[in-house]
Amino acid sequence: MSNYKIQSSKFDIWTLDFDIRKMLILGIETSCDETAAALVAGGREILSSVVATQLDLHSRYGGVVPEIAARRHAELIGYVIDQAIVSAGRTLGDVEAVAVTARQGLVGCLLVGAAAAKTLSYARRIPLVGIHHIEGHVFANLLSNPTLPVPHVCLTVSGGHTMLLLVEAPCRYRVLGVTLDDAAGEAFDKVAKFLGLGFPGGPAIEKAAREGNGRAFRFPRPLLRAGNLDFSFSGLKTAVINAVRPLMTGGKPLPVADIAASFQEAAVEVLVSKTLRVALETGVKAVSVTGGVSANRRLRQAFTQACQNKGLEAFFPDLSLCTDNGAMVAAAGYARLNRGEVAGLDLDVVPSALMEL
Ligand code: KG4
Ligand code: ZN
């Protein structure tokens, strides 16, 4: 490595020999607890998407353990990339660029994906592009809904993020609101853990809530009436715990389904009403919801209904693209490469990064 020199903007993508409209991009995602890779053609067509989840590893701790997650990524990343290429019926030689989640996530986890992406970029002399994880989620929706218009308001709700964005144009965002404490998915996970429903909590709460009455408990709707567009889910989680704890000493079985349904209603109401408020204020015609929590059927139903009432269109990703995956990273990478953005081998990972505006 002695004479190896790190260099920024190593490639001029316009001088490379490929047609960007059909460009085959490998997307790599390792920001949290999914080791994922996908091959996407022309930024739209998913040829393969491989996601190795680590749920089994973390469920016994009731949440993601960063060090364990990073080690598992290191074990799996080569295999997952290989599977993504093979299952698309391609070879490594066919890959024309590599996009990787480099911003927002667990630092040890991001480093594994970035190291793999840089290695491929260097070895194959193909362009590298670093993606913000939330931009990946925005593109999950574009992948599933090619007619999704810009501008639109996009709510990203996942285990690590709750962010309200105005998508002004492809790759141009204005942050409208964020969570001030826990992310929405984190609140689902913590309430589920408290109720003994297991990890990840979102699907478990949704399942339990189906048998419950969402009006049985009146949990608070944090910051609903506040003039800003920020969220707070830690207060909601604490309110649930405070309301439920006294019931645990009575000797009667806990009304788990009612608690789950009432919590879900509170979370959904806050998410829907803040998003709709800003969509109407900004005058956009469409709203998109993305990230792991966007798989929640009650959330989808409430958004669809509220949007219909206000003459707006609601968009959600396919269920397979709600949680973390490599396809959304490849799609975002395509858009960034199309703008001539290429990273050098000095691409840094940033655990907590603002969305670029
Ligand atoms: O997007 P994602 O895979 O990872 C992050 O970027 O954080 O989201 C994972 C989160 C978890 O908190 C999980 O409980 C939540 O998404 N989730 C759900 C559902 N499916 C996954 N939350 C509510 N309802 C669901 N059906
Ligand atoms: Zn995510």
Side-chain angles (χ1 to χ4, degrees), residues 80-105:
V80 167
I81 291 173
D82 199 39
Q83 279 301 300
I85 294 171
V86 169
S87 63
R90 304 298 176 106
T91 66
L92 188 55
D94 295 326
V95 177
E96 291 170 307
V98 55
V100 63
T101 304
R103 294 189 294 287
Q104 198 97 336

PDB file of all heavy atoms in Angstrom, residues 80-105:
ATOM      1  N   VAL A  80     -23.346 -11.758   0.962  1.00  0.00           N
ATOM      2  CA  VAL A  80     -24.568 -11.053   0.545  1.00  0.00           C
ATOM      3  C   VAL A  80     -24.354 -10.364  -0.814  1.00  0.00           C
ATOM      4  O   VAL A  80     -25.214 -10.423  -1.702  1.00  0.00           O
ATOM      5  CB  VAL A  80     -25.012 -10.053   1.642  1.00  0.00           C
ATOM      6  CG1 VAL A  80     -26.062  -9.089   1.125  1.00  0.00           C
ATOM      7  CG2 VAL A  80     -25.550 -10.813   2.852  1.00  0.00           C
ATOM      8  N   ILE A  81     -23.207  -9.737  -0.993  1.00  0.00           N
ATOM      9  CA  ILE A  81     -22.904  -9.087  -2.280  1.00  0.00           C
ATOM     10  C   ILE A  81     -22.865 -10.144  -3.390  1.00  0.00           C
ATOM     11  O   ILE A  81     -23.442  -9.970  -4.472  1.00  0.00           O
ATOM     12  CB  ILE A  81     -21.568  -8.306  -2.205  1.00  0.00           C
ATOM     13  CG1 ILE A  81     -21.728  -7.081  -1.292  1.00  0.00           C
ATOM     14  CG2 ILE A  81     -21.098  -7.882  -3.603  1.00  0.00           C
ATOM     15  CD1 ILE A  81     -20.436  -6.340  -1.003  1.00  0.00           C
ATOM     16  N   ASP A  82     -22.190 -11.255  -3.090  1.00  0.00           N
ATOM     17  CA  ASP A  82     -22.091 -12.343  -4.061  1.00  0.00           C
ATOM     18  C   ASP A  82     -23.486 -12.839  -4.461  1.00  0.00           C
ATOM     19  O   ASP A  82     -23.791 -13.005  -5.641  1.00  0.00           O
ATOM     20  CB  ASP A  82     -21.285 -13.466  -3.405  1.00  0.00           C
ATOM     21  CG  ASP A  82     -20.730 -14.415  -4.431  1.00  0.00           C
ATOM     22  OD1 ASP A  82     -20.305 -13.926  -5.484  1.00  0.00           O
ATOM     23  OD2 ASP A  82     -20.756 -15.632  -4.195  1.00  0.00           O
ATOM     24  N   GLN A  83     -24.333 -13.047  -3.481  1.00  0.00           N
ATOM     25  CA  GLN A  83     -25.694 -13.524  -3.745  1.00  0.00           C
ATOM     26  C   GLN A  83     -26.484 -12.531  -4.592  1.00  0.00           C
ATOM     27  O   GLN A  83     -27.257 -12.911  -5.463  1.00  0.00           O
ATOM     28  CB  GLN A  83     -26.446 -13.750  -2.422  1.00  0.00           C
ATOM     29  CG  GLN A  83     -26.120 -15.054  -1.754  1.00  0.00           C
ATOM     30  CD  GLN A  83     -26.452 -16.235  -2.650  1.00  0.00           C
ATOM     31  OE1 GLN A  83     -27.584 -16.428  -3.042  1.00  0.00           O
ATOM     32  NE2 GLN A  83     -25.438 -17.009  -3.000  1.00  0.00           N
ATOM     33  N   ALA A  84     -26.297 -11.237  -4.306  1.00  0.00           N
ATOM     34  CA  ALA A  84     -27.025 -10.210  -5.067  1.00  0.00           C
ATOM     35  C   ALA A  84     -26.622 -10.269  -6.538  1.00  0.00           C
ATOM     36  O   ALA A  84     -27.462 -10.152  -7.434  1.00  0.00           O
ATOM     37  CB  ALA A  84     -26.745  -8.822  -4.495  1.00  0.00           C
ATOM     38  N   ILE A  85     -25.334 -10.492  -6.791  1.00  0.00           N
ATOM     39  CA  ILE A  85     -24.856 -10.529  -8.179  1.00  0.00           C
ATOM     40  C   ILE A  85     -25.304 -11.827  -8.862  1.00  0.00           C
ATOM     41  O   ILE A  85     -25.856 -11.809  -9.963  1.00  0.00           O
ATOM     42  CB  ILE A  85     -23.311 -10.375  -8.208  1.00  0.00           C
ATOM     43  CG1 ILE A  85     -22.939  -8.967  -7.704  1.00  0.00           C
ATOM     44  CG2 ILE A  85     -22.769 -10.602  -9.613  1.00  0.00           C
ATOM     45  CD1 ILE A  85     -21.457  -8.750  -7.479  1.00  0.00           C
ATOM     46  N   VAL A  86     -25.116 -12.933  -8.163  1.00  0.00           N
ATOM     47  CA  VAL A  86     -25.437 -14.243  -8.754  1.00  0.00           C
ATOM     48  C   VAL A  86     -26.944 -14.373  -8.996  1.00  0.00           C
ATOM     49  O   VAL A  86     -27.379 -14.829 -10.057  1.00  0.00           O
ATOM     50  CB  VAL A  86     -24.912 -15.379  -7.835  1.00  0.00           C
ATOM     51  CG1 VAL A  86     -25.454 -16.729  -8.277  1.00  0.00           C
ATOM     52  CG2 VAL A  86     -23.391 -15.386  -7.845  1.00  0.00           C
ATOM     53  N   SER A  87     -27.743 -13.944  -8.014  1.00  0.00           N
ATOM     54  CA  SER A  87     -29.194 -14.137  -8.186  1.00  0.00           C
ATOM     55  C   SER A  87     -29.766 -13.212  -9.264  1.00  0.00           C
ATOM     56  O   SER A  87     -30.862 -13.440  -9.757  1.00  0.00           O
ATOM     57  CB  SER A  87     -29.940 -13.982  -6.859  1.00  0.00           C
ATOM     58  OG  SER A  87     -29.773 -12.680  -6.375  1.00  0.00           O
ATOM     59  N   ALA A  88     -29.009 -12.193  -9.657  1.00  0.00           N
ATOM     60  CA  ALA A  88     -29.441 -11.352 -10.786  1.00  0.00           C
ATOM     61  C   ALA A  88     -28.968 -11.946 -12.111  1.00  0.00           C
ATOM     62  O   ALA A  88     -29.234 -11.376 -13.174  1.00  0.00           O
ATOM     63  CB  ALA A  88     -28.879  -9.939 -10.623  1.00  0.00           C
ATOM     64  N   GLY A  89     -28.229 -13.052 -12.041  1.00  0.00           N
ATOM     65  CA  GLY A  89     -27.721 -13.688 -13.257  1.00  0.00           C
ATOM     66  C   GLY A  89     -26.568 -12.901 -13.873  1.00  0.00           C
ATOM     67  O   GLY A  89     -26.341 -12.966 -15.080  1.00  0.00           O
ATOM     68  N   ARG A  90     -25.862 -12.140 -13.052  1.00  0.00           N
ATOM     69  CA  ARG A  90     -24.748 -11.327 -13.550  1.00  0.00           C
ATOM     70  C   ARG A  90     -23.442 -11.771 -12.895  1.00  0.00           C
ATOM     71  O   ARG A  90     -23.432 -12.633 -12.029  1.00  0.00           O
ATOM     72  CB  ARG A  90     -24.993  -9.844 -13.228  1.00  0.00           C
ATOM     73  CG  ARG A  90     -26.304  -9.300 -13.748  1.00  0.00           C
ATOM     74  CD  ARG A  90     -26.371  -9.383 -15.265  1.00  0.00           C
ATOM     75  NE  ARG A  90     -27.674  -8.941 -15.758  1.00  0.00           N
ATOM     76  CZ  ARG A  90     -27.878  -7.780 -16.364  1.00  0.00           C
ATOM     77  NH1 ARG A  90     -26.896  -6.944 -16.545  1.00  0.00           N
ATOM     78  NH2 ARG A  90     -29.090  -7.464 -16.782  1.00  0.00           N
ATOM     79  N   THR A  91     -22.365 -11.121 -13.330  1.00  0.00           N
ATOM     80  CA  THR A  91     -21.063 -11.368 -12.707  1.00  0.00           C
ATOM     81  C   THR A  91     -20.545 -10.033 -12.171  1.00  0.00           C
ATOM     82  O   THR A  91     -21.063  -8.961 -12.537  1.00  0.00           O
ATOM     83  CB  THR A  91     -20.032 -11.903 -13.724  1.00  0.00           C
ATOM     84  OG1 THR A  91     -19.784 -10.844 -14.670  1.00  0.00           O
ATOM     85  CG2 THR A  91     -20.544 -13.142 -14.441  1.00  0.00           C
ATOM     86  N   LEU A  92     -19.514 -10.117 -11.372  1.00  0.00           N
ATOM     87  CA  LEU A  92     -18.934  -8.890 -10.812  1.00  0.00           C
ATOM     88  C   LEU A  92     -18.494  -7.944 -11.940  1.00  0.00           C
ATOM     89  O   LEU A  92     -18.596  -6.728 -11.815  1.00  0.00           O
ATOM     90  CB  LEU A  92     -17.738  -9.267  -9.921  1.00  0.00           C
ATOM     91  CG  LEU A  92     -17.108  -8.160  -9.098  1.00  0.00           C
ATOM     92  CD1 LEU A  92     -18.137  -7.456  -8.230  1.00  0.00           C
ATOM     93  CD2 LEU A  92     -15.978  -8.718  -8.235  1.00  0.00           C
ATOM     94  N   GLY A  93     -18.070  -8.520 -13.033  1.00  0.00           N
ATOM     95  CA  GLY A  93     -17.621  -7.720 -14.172  1.00  0.00           C
ATOM     96  C   GLY A  93     -18.730  -6.871 -14.791  1.00  0.00           C
ATOM     97  O   GLY A  93     -18.459  -5.905 -15.497  1.00  0.00           O
ATOM     98  N   ASP A  94     -19.982  -7.233 -14.532  1.00  0.00           N
ATOM     99  CA  ASP A  94     -21.104  -6.461 -15.098  1.00  0.00           C
ATOM    100  C   ASP A  94     -21.426  -5.208 -14.266  1.00  0.00           C
ATOM    101  O   ASP A  94     -22.118  -4.301 -14.749  1.00  0.00           O
ATOM    102  CB  ASP A  94     -22.385  -7.320 -15.130  1.00  0.00           C
ATOM    103  CG  ASP A  94     -22.245  -8.509 -16.072  1.00  0.00           C
ATOM    104  OD1 ASP A  94     -21.562  -8.359 -17.099  1.00  0.00           O
ATOM    105  OD2 ASP A  94     -22.819  -9.568 -15.763  1.00  0.00           O
ATOM    106  N   VAL A  95     -20.973  -5.172 -13.025  1.00  0.00           N
ATOM    107  CA  VAL A  95     -21.351  -4.061 -12.134  1.00  0.00           C
ATOM    108  C   VAL A  95     -20.624  -2.790 -12.575  1.00  0.00           C
ATOM    109  O   VAL A  95     -19.406  -2.784 -12.732  1.00  0.00           O
ATOM    110  CB  VAL A  95     -21.011  -4.404 -10.656  1.00  0.00           C
ATOM    111  CG1 VAL A  95     -21.329  -3.230  -9.739  1.00  0.00           C
ATOM    112  CG2 VAL A  95     -21.772  -5.651 -10.222  1.00  0.00           C
ATOM    113  N   GLU A  96     -21.389  -1.701 -12.769  1.00  0.00           N
ATOM    114  CA  GLU A  96     -20.798  -0.484 -13.334  1.00  0.00           C
ATOM    115  C   GLU A  96     -20.559   0.626 -12.310  1.00  0.00           C
ATOM    116  O   GLU A  96     -19.850   1.595 -12.588  1.00  0.00           O
ATOM    117  CB  GLU A  96     -21.697   0.031 -14.452  1.00  0.00           C
ATOM    118  CG  GLU A  96     -21.663  -0.897 -15.661  1.00  0.00           C
ATOM    119  CD  GLU A  96     -22.720  -0.550 -16.679  1.00  0.00           C
ATOM    120  OE1 GLU A  96     -23.900  -0.460 -16.299  1.00  0.00           O
ATOM    121  OE2 GLU A  96     -22.371  -0.359 -17.854  1.00  0.00           O
ATOM    122  N   ALA A  97     -21.185   0.499 -11.143  1.00  0.00           N
ATOM    123  CA  ALA A  97     -20.945   1.496 -10.085  1.00  0.00           C
ATOM    124  C   ALA A  97     -21.394   0.883  -8.767  1.00  0.00           C
ATOM    125  O   ALA A  97     -22.181  -0.067  -8.751  1.00  0.00           O
ATOM    126  CB  ALA A  97     -21.733   2.774 -10.354  1.00  0.00           C
ATOM    127  N   VAL A  98     -20.892   1.455  -7.682  1.00  0.00           N
ATOM    128  CA  VAL A  98     -21.291   0.947  -6.370  1.00  0.00           C
ATOM    129  C   VAL A  98     -21.724   2.112  -5.479  1.00  0.00           C
ATOM    130  O   VAL A  98     -21.044   3.137  -5.383  1.00  0.00           O
ATOM    131  CB  VAL A  98     -20.174   0.057  -5.747  1.00  0.00           C
ATOM    132  CG1 VAL A  98     -18.849   0.759  -5.661  1.00  0.00           C
ATOM    133  CG2 VAL A  98     -20.584  -0.479  -4.390  1.00  0.00           C
ATOM    134  N   ALA A  99     -22.923   1.944  -4.899  1.00  0.00           N
ATOM    135  CA  ALA A  99     -23.476   2.962  -3.991  1.00  0.00           C
ATOM    136  C   ALA A  99     -23.555   2.343  -2.606  1.00  0.00           C
ATOM    137  O   ALA A  99     -23.927   1.175  -2.469  1.00  0.00           O
ATOM    138  CB  ALA A  99     -24.870   3.371  -4.456  1.00  0.00           C
ATOM    139  N   VAL A 100     -23.220   3.134  -1.609  1.00  0.00           N
ATOM    140  CA  VAL A 100     -23.212   2.583  -0.248  1.00  0.00           C
ATOM    141  C   VAL A 100     -23.771   3.608   0.743  1.00  0.00           C
ATOM    142  O   VAL A 100     -23.545   4.805   0.593  1.00  0.00           O
ATOM    143  CB  VAL A 100     -21.775   2.151   0.144  1.00  0.00           C
ATOM    144  CG1 VAL A 100     -20.802   3.325   0.188  1.00  0.00           C
ATOM    145  CG2 VAL A 100     -21.773   1.420   1.491  1.00  0.00           C
ATOM    146  N   THR A 101     -24.492   3.124   1.737  1.00  0.00           N
ATOM    147  CA  THR A 101     -24.940   4.021   2.807  1.00  0.00           C
ATOM    148  C   THR A 101     -23.716   4.435   3.616  1.00  0.00           C
ATOM    149  O   THR A 101     -23.055   3.593   4.215  1.00  0.00           O
ATOM    150  CB  THR A 101     -25.943   3.311   3.738  1.00  0.00           C
ATOM    151  OG1 THR A 101     -27.019   2.834   2.944  1.00  0.00           O
ATOM    152  CG2 THR A 101     -26.469   4.262   4.798  1.00  0.00           C
ATOM    153  N   ALA A 102     -23.431   5.729   3.602  1.00  0.00           N
ATOM    154  CA  ALA A 102     -22.235   6.225   4.286  1.00  0.00           C
ATOM    155  C   ALA A 102     -22.586   7.199   5.401  1.00  0.00           C
ATOM    156  O   ALA A 102     -21.739   7.540   6.229  1.00  0.00           O
ATOM    157  CB  ALA A 102     -21.308   6.919   3.287  1.00  0.00           C
ATOM    158  N   ARG A 103     -23.833   7.656   5.416  1.00  0.00           N
ATOM    159  CA  ARG A 103     -24.207   8.644   6.422  1.00  0.00           C
ATOM    160  C   ARG A 103     -25.463   8.212   7.166  1.00  0.00           C
ATOM    161  O   ARG A 103     -26.387   7.683   6.572  1.00  0.00           O
ATOM    162  CB  ARG A 103     -24.432  10.008   5.768  1.00  0.00           C
ATOM    163  CG  ARG A 103     -23.161  10.580   5.203  1.00  0.00           C
ATOM    164  CD  ARG A 103     -23.317  12.018   4.758  1.00  0.00           C
ATOM    165  NE  ARG A 103     -24.220  12.153   3.644  1.00  0.00           N
ATOM    166  CZ  ARG A 103     -23.950  11.789   2.403  1.00  0.00           C
ATOM    167  NH1 ARG A 103     -22.794  11.217   2.119  1.00  0.00           N
ATOM    168  NH2 ARG A 103     -24.827  11.959   1.450  1.00  0.00           N
ATOM    169  N   GLN A 104     -25.441   8.443   8.447  1.00  0.00           N
ATOM    170  CA  GLN A 104     -26.511   8.182   9.402  1.00  0.00           C
ATOM    171  C   GLN A 104     -26.640   6.682   9.675  1.00  0.00           C
ATOM    172  O   GLN A 104     -27.125   5.928   8.841  1.00  0.00           O
ATOM    173  CB  GLN A 104     -27.846   8.730   8.890  1.00  0.00           C
ATOM    174  CG  GLN A 104     -28.861   8.875   9.981  1.00  0.00           C
ATOM    175  CD  GLN A 104     -28.919  10.304  10.521  1.00  0.00           C
ATOM    176  OE1 GLN A 104     -27.971  11.072  10.423  1.00  0.00           O
ATOM    177  NE2 GLN A 104     -30.023  10.667  11.115  1.00  0.00           N
ATOM    178  N   GLY A 105     -26.173   6.303  10.855  1.00  0.00           N
ATOM    179  CA  GLY A 105     -26.263   4.901  11.246  1.00  0.00           C
ATOM    180  C   GLY A 105     -25.246   4.602  12.332  1.00  0.00           C
ATOM    181  O   GLY A 105     -24.618   5.512  12.885  1.00  0.00           O
TER     182      GLY A 105
END
